[in-house]
Amino acid sequence: MSAKKWLKELRAQGYRLTDARRAVVETVAQSPRALTPSEVYDLARERYPTLGLVTVYRTLEKLEELHLAQRVHQDDGCNAYLAHAEGHQHLLICEKCKKAVYFEGDDLDDFFTEVGKKHNFAVKDHWLQLFGTCEDCKYG
Amino acid sequence: MSAKKWLKELRAQGYRLTDARRAVVETVAQSPRALTPSEVYDLARERYPTLGLVTVYRTLEKLEELHLAQRVHQDDGCNAYLAHAEGHQHLLICEKCKKAVYFEGDDLDDFFTEVGKKHNFAVKDHWLQLFGTCEDCKYG
DNA sequence: CTCCATGCAAAATATTTGCAATTCA
DNA sequence: TGAATTGCAAATATTTTGCATGGAG
């Protein structure tokens, strides 16, 4: 139930809990895949029909600020938001159903630092995503 | 001089060589960092002042199709184009001057396949970028 | 009751398309 | 010459901002 945790966190940061925010938060928290603002709008309106698209944008912005959600970049677009994982994790995304799964990659840090050294770069951050087909989409 | 190679490749694919295309191609081929359509427009107009922004969009689209250039996704935007490297390489980008450098990462493929197996994914592709500070930007 | 938050409308951006004029091969 | 290309203008699409109303605390 990360939705409740998110709402608590929003409250802790001094933000008010409104039906509009609850609808957006629950929609993103429960989705197995990254959603665009427009998709969040459509889904969240099933919970709260008078929701405005502007509020979706503003709420997603706050969720990103608080590191509860993160933007996911894919070939088909860079505006989708996904629930964030604990710690520094990386994404594995199904190209068919878009389902996203996190995985650990601690082992990689040393390698990245080493690559940086070779090119006289001080590596501070990295960005890694794997794409493939998940079990459910293997056939069909 | 990849600009000449690119122009030859465009010609080989049946596209005509025009001053507008030459200006765009040379601009992107010579840039040490990824450029947005709007940046390409500004820079390429120094070579060919009557160039239109639409032509920039259309030419970049073709360069991407032919795998001569690739889109680069960064936190501050996802519409920048960079000369593509030979084979499958990854990017190391300076957060200050945005300079981009390619590096090999063949060693990673097995690791990625392994990660996929753990989650019942058939990994087909990956996407990796490192961010840091380059030698020139280390101070200041 | 006091602000914060909302959602509409409008503005600002970014990208794509229709089309007549131009130009490469 | 004939078809591909260009660049303008206009159409779309996306995201942000101004503001009066409404609702959380």
Side-chain angles (χ1 to χ4, degrees), chain B residues 16 18 21 50-52 55 58:
Chain B
R16 292 183 180 172
T18 64
R21 277 182 185 154
T50 58
L51 175 68
T55 299
R58 290 192 277 225

Side-chain angles (χ1 to χ4, degrees), chain B residues 43-104:
Chain B
L43 288 168
R45 275 168 74 92
E46 291 174 10
R47 297 165 185 274
Y48 184 67
T50 58
L51 175 68
L53 179 58
V54 182
T55 299
V56 173
Y57 274 96
R58 290 192 277 225
T59 304
L60 290 175
E61 190 182 5
K62 285 181 179 56
L63 293 179
E64 194 180 14
E65 256 173 45
L66 302 180
H67 299 289
L68 298 175
Q70 70 169 130
R71 274 176 90 140
V72 174
H73 298 243
Q74 298 177 241
D75 278 340
D76 58 338
C78 316
N79 311 313
Y81 289 77
L82 182 71
H84 210 295
E86 305 287 336
H88 192 150
Q89 303 218 22
H90 302 106
L91 283 174
L92 180 51
I93 298 174
C94 175
E95 286 175 332
K96 292 194 182 166
C97 69
K98 304 295 176 187
K99 179 171 65 188
V101 173
Y102 284 99
F103 69 90
E104 299 273 356

Side-chain angles (χ1 to χ4, degrees), chain B:
Chain B
M1 277 304 93
S2 64
K4 282 189 180 171
K5 197 189 76 186
W6 289 16
L7 291 167
K8 192 179 287 180
E9 181 62 20
L10 279 168
R11 192 73 202 85
Q13 296 296 320
Y15 293 116
R16 292 183 180 172
L17 299 190
T18 64
D19 288 343
R21 277 182 185 154
R22 263 186 278 271
V24 171
V25 163
E26 286 168 5
T27 298
V28 178
Q30 291 171 10
S31 174
R33 66 183 187 85
L35 299 173
T36 63
S38 162
E39 288 171 330
V40 172
Y41 178 67
D42 290 339
L43 288 168
R45 275 168 74 92
E46 291 174 10
R47 297 165 185 274
Y48 184 67
T50 58
L51 175 68
L53 179 58
V54 182
T55 299
V56 173
Y57 274 96
R58 290 192 277 225
T59 304
L60 290 175
E61 190 182 5
K62 285 181 179 56
L63 293 179
E64 194 180 14
E65 256 173 45
L66 302 180
H67 299 289
L68 298 175
Q70 70 169 130
R71 274 176 90 140
V72 174
H73 298 243
Q74 298 177 241
D75 278 340
D76 58 338
C78 316
N79 311 313
Y81 289 77
L82 182 71
H84 210 295
E86 305 287 336
H88 192 150
Q89 303 218 22
H90 302 106
L91 283 174
L92 180 51
I93 298 174
C94 175
E95 286 175 332
K96 292 194 182 166
C97 69
K98 304 295 176 187
K99 179 171 65 188
V101 173
Y102 284 99
F103 69 90
E104 299 273 356
D106 304 330
D107 341 15
L108 296 170
D109 286 1
D110 289 345
F111 173 74
F112 293 155
T113 303
E114 210 49 47
V115 168
K117 272 185 192 160
K118 276 185 205 159
H119 296 276
N120 291 316
F121 270 68
V123 173
K124 292 173 183 162
D125 198 8
H126 56 264
W127 199 14
L128 170 64
Q129 285 178 195
L130 308 186
F131 298 96
T133 310
C134 76
E135 182 75 6
D136 300 337
C137 298
K138 195 186 291 180
Y139 314 102

